[in-house]
Amino acid sequence: MTDSNTPRHFLTVLDLTPEELRGLVRRATELKTAGRSGEAYEPLKNRILGMIFEKSSTRTRVSFEAGMAQFGGHAIFLSPRDTQLGRGEPIEDSARVLSRMVDCVTIRTFAQDTLERFAAFSRVPVINALTDMYHPLQLLADMQTWFEHRGDIKGKTVLWVGDGNNMCHSYINAARQFDFRLRIACPEGYDPEDSVLQRAGTRCEIIRDPMAAAEAVDLVVTDVWASMGQEEEHARREKAFAGYQVNDELMARADREALFMHCLPAHRGEEVTASVIDREDSLVWEEAGNRMHSQKALLEFLLCDPAWTISG
Ligand code: CP
Ligand code: NVA
């Protein structure tokens, strides 16, 4: 935290500096390696993370709960179904109350504005656990996974295939922060938000033809065609995205050493074939596992004296 009245938040990938993000990625790998020794490291003893989830989650919820337990702290799961949030208590009031009781809050919700309003009234750091607009936590894990296998991503070319959704927006922001090029292959009508894209300048471009876009890329990333909250659009989206599947033919266009990532959950036979996601050397399981390590690094950064490593 910068001072006791202004906590640092992680609402988008742009909330940390490029140096801080790189420091987090390094730290995540350190924590992962140290964790294997079995030695306890409990920097968050007696600290509490509140977790508000207005949408389903497996990875984000479990990685935070497990990470907090390993750090000696505790996590409280809060569903709108059984808190006053679901009965219309204003988000600002909830923020003022909860942040007097817990040390950090993570929120998965629909509108980015809800998250921002909570953060504006919170005394403690707030972490975006996914909104319709962004999913920055996934980018920490994806970057960690890339760095662990291929080193620096600066100057590399990443291909996003599919919907210009929350994950795509976070990839655009990550391209700025980590200095990689991003090609976005999406059908017309499903482009990422122009405001997000424009701010990334020339390093991000939309290429309609996914096969052409895949030429020699270093990393291929995709996500579901219908995100949470868009279930009723599924049939329409299936038609629109029909040519936007990550399959063996598309992967063959990419660099020979290209990696494939997916935030999960995946729909085999839709955005990705089983032949790609279930390859023997598929990284998606490690990518999912890295969610916990990278979020532990983030919690440590936001809640402890961050003197540890964050330097160029
Ligand atoms: N990738 C991801 O955020 O997964 P969950 O929806 O299971 O948390
Ligand atoms: N775009 C997906 C990501 C899930 C982790 C969704 O919002 O449902």
Side-chain angles (χ1 to χ4, degrees):
M1 283 187 229
T2 45
D3 69 54
S4 55
N5 297 320
T6 55
R8 292 288 297 271
H9 301 302
F10 187 61
L11 309 186
T12 82
V13 170
L14 302 179
D15 283 343
L16 301 189
T17 66
E19 292 70 33
E20 287 169 337
L21 287 167
R22 281 165 184 274
L24 278 188
V25 168
R26 273 200 304 275
R27 182 60 177 160
T29 300
E30 272 172 30
L31 288 168
K32 180 175 172 179
T33 309
R36 291 193 189 117
S37 76
E39 215 172 289
Y41 171 59
E42 301 187 327
L44 298 186
K45 209 161 179 56
N46 300 323
R47 311 289 286 279
I48 297 166
L49 172 70
M51 306 196 306
I52 300 172
F53 278 80
E54 298 193 332
K55 296 180 178 181
S56 304
S57 170
T58 297
R59 280 145 286 268
T60 309
R61 176 182 176 176
V62 176
S63 52
F64 267 132
E65 286 199 29
M68 281 303 289
Q70 289 175 11
F71 266 177
H74 188 73
I76 303 176
F77 181 75
L78 299 157
S79 147
R81 271 187 299 280
D82 37 43
T83 59
Q84 300 291 3
L85 272 167
R87 298 182 59 250
E89 181 165 13
I91 198 77
E92 294 82 356
D93 293 359
S94 304
R96 284 184 277 220
V97 172
L98 290 174
S99 67
R100 283 172 161 80
M101 299 174 183
V102 302
D103 301 280
C104 185
V105 177
T106 188
I107 307 179
R108 172 168 286 197
T109 188
F110 294 85
Q112 183 76 9
D113 178 64
T114 307
L115 176 77
E116 284 171 6
R117 278 162 47 215
F118 189 103
F121 285 85
S122 173
R123 291 178 162 193
V124 300
V126 176
I127 299 172
N128 182 352
L130 182 148
T131 60
D132 291 347
M133 194 64 184
Y134 297 111
H135 193 11
L137 290 175
Q138 186 68 48
L139 264 293
L140 293 183
D142 286 15
M143 290 301 105
Q144 180 192 346
T145 309
W146 175 274
F147 275 69
E148 286 177 349
H149 285 267
R150 294 284 189 270
D152 206 324
I153 199 163
K154 183 180 164 77
K156 301 289 181 192
T157 302
V158 178
L159 170 63
W160 174 267
V161 187
D163 194 13
N165 64 10
N166 45 9
M167 276 296 303
C168 179
H169 291 149
S170 285
Y171 259 93
I172 295 170
N173 284 343
R176 294 170 59 181
Q177 298 285 65
F178 287 92
D179 201 10
F180 58 80
R181 285 189 296 275
L182 181 67
R183 296 181 190 161
I184 300 163
C186 58
E188 251 170 272
Y190 296 93
D191 291 4
E193 291 280 329
D194 206 42
S195 56
V196 179
L197 193 60
Q198 290 311 320
R199 285 199 300 269
T202 53
R203 61 163 63 76
C204 297
E205 57 175 332
I206 293 179
I207 301 178
R208 294 283 172 220
D209 176 1
M211 289 298 165
E215 209 57 59
V217 296
D218 301 293
L219 169 63
V220 177
V221 194
T222 191
D223 185 14
V224 291
W225 291 340
S227 285
M228 289 181 275
Q230 298 172 332
E231 288 78 7
E232 75 292 347
E233 294 176 32
H234 194 266
R236 179 158 62 83
R237 284 171 169 267
E238 243 183 343
K239 279 203 194 92
F241 288 98
Y244 290 80
Q245 183 184 64
V246 178
N247 51 30
D248 291 324
E249 199 190 342
L250 184 134
M251 289 304 293
R253 296 281 187 118
D255 185 83
R256 238 164 39 89
E257 303 279 295
L259 299 180
F260 169 73
M261 292 194 200
H262 191 309
C263 62
L264 304 177
H267 292 178
R268 289 170 177 77
E270 293 186 17
E271 76 276 5
V272 62
T273 57
S275 60
V276 171
I277 197 169
D278 294 326
R279 266 169 55 157
E280 210 175 313
D281 60 350
S282 178
L283 274 186
V284 297
W285 318 118
E286 191 176 330
E287 179 191 356
N290 281 341
R291 292 292 305 276
M292 184 180 75
H293 307 297
S294 54
Q295 284 160 218
K296 284 172 74 178
L298 177 66
L299 287 166
E300 188 187 43
F301 172 69
L302 293 174
L303 296 179
C304 303
D305 180 353
W308 45 262
T309 53
I310 307 258
S311 60

